[in-house]
Amino acid sequence: MLRLVENHSSPRTAAFFDLDKTVIAKSSTLTFSKSFYQGGLINRRAALRTAYTQFVFLAGGADHDQMERMREYLSRLCKGWNVQQVKDLVAETLHDLIDPIIYDEAASLIEEHHAAGRDVVIVSTSGAEVVEPIGELLGADRVVATRMVVGDDGCFTGEVEYYAYGPTKAEAVRELAESEGYDLARCYAYSDSATDLPMLETVGHAYAVNPDRALRREAVARDWPILVFNRPVRLKQRLPSFRMPPRPALVAAAAIGAAAATAGLVWYANRRRRTVSARTATAA
């Protein structure tokens, strides 16, 4: 296992973790589809489609276009959902669904970073209602996650307020570094996907975890370490070896990103326009 020693006389540092297929073995959002089905939020057809989407995600990862399709699908799917009901369903099934799929290796790394005096930050494209409880379960100090717009009726409108993806993740990391005093050159970042290259490039110590083909190529070219996590183990089975010291309440850091949200949405709109234009030209 990595040896992560911190010089406490130096500026503060942090370890930034992508969540899906980096810390846990599946997609955090899609894992709750059965709970949402049983809670009446989705029908059987949607539950089956979500299960298929999970399979595709696990089999080959998700490139930009797949992530875009997944975002659009989930945005349409959650429109009209009561936010408090979603939070309640996640809380009720969190340990049963997430605890068994946490990578033992990731849990050990989180423990080592904390022992070395570093903050642990989960940076995930999944929704805050799912990511924040998982972050708390893992003992993370902060969470950056996608936020959906909530209407006056307490339900999702289907619109995205803040999309934690690609360059937006990197911008959130930089904003956190500025507000918390992190020395990014001495910070760590972990991800499985090439879509997180902007975040990985932001820190001095980047690690590819169970990388997709594109990230593996980049990691080899940049001489980044490649880690293989393949032992999902319940945290209960790790106790008392998994020690999470008493920590202040989890900080939902997604709110830092007004500028990051704008940058990410503009980048996405431009990317989408280029893709549509290319398809139109090809069809013509």
Side-chain angles (χ1 to χ4, degrees), residues 47-79:
L48 291 173
R49 180 175 178 181
T50 303
Y52 173 73
T53 303
Q54 176 81 276
F55 169 77
V56 171
F57 178 77
L58 293 175
D63 60 18
H64 168 79
D65 291 337
Q66 289 170 322
M67 289 293 292
E68 171 67 359
R69 288 195 295 271
M70 190 182 301
R71 181 189 69 85
E72 291 178 345
Y73 169 64
L74 293 175
S75 295
R76 292 194 305 270
L77 189 66
C78 76
K79 183 177 181 179

Side-chain angles (χ1 to χ4, degrees), residues 85-159:
Q85 184 182 4
V86 172
K87 290 181 178 180
D88 291 343
L89 288 170
V90 170
E92 289 169 7
T93 56
L94 178 67
H95 286 276
D96 289 340
L97 294 178
I98 299 300
D99 198 355
I101 62 174
I102 296 171
Y103 284 123
D104 182 44
E105 300 92 338
S108 294
L109 265 180
I110 289 171
E111 181 183 25
E112 290 188 30
H113 280 298
H114 274 154
R118 299 185 189 92
D119 286 350
V120 170
V121 184
I122 302 297
V123 188
S124 175
T125 305
S126 294
E129 290 75 18
V130 169
V131 179
E132 288 173 14
I134 295 175
E136 196 166 350
L137 176 67
L138 292 166
D141 301 277
R142 289 169 178 78
V143 159
V144 175
T146 293
R147 296 195 311 273
M148 304 296 291
V149 176
V150 180
D152 295 335
D153 58 355
C155 297
F156 292 124
T157 66
E159 298 175 343

Side-chain angles (χ1 to χ4, degrees), residues 244-257:
M244 291 187 294
R247 313 191 65 80
L250 178 73
V251 177
I256 68 173

Side-chain angles (χ1 to χ4, degrees), residues 187-208:
C187 287
Y188 294 70
Y190 303 85
S191 178
D192 71 292
S193 174
T195 61
D196 280 339
L197 276 171
M199 180 178 76
L200 294 171
E201 293 169 340
T202 302
V203 302
H205 303 284
Y207 289 80

Side-chain angles (χ1 to χ4, degrees), residues 66 95 151 165 183 210 221 252:
Q66 289 170 322
H95 286 276
Y165 177 79
D183 179 359
N210 300 337

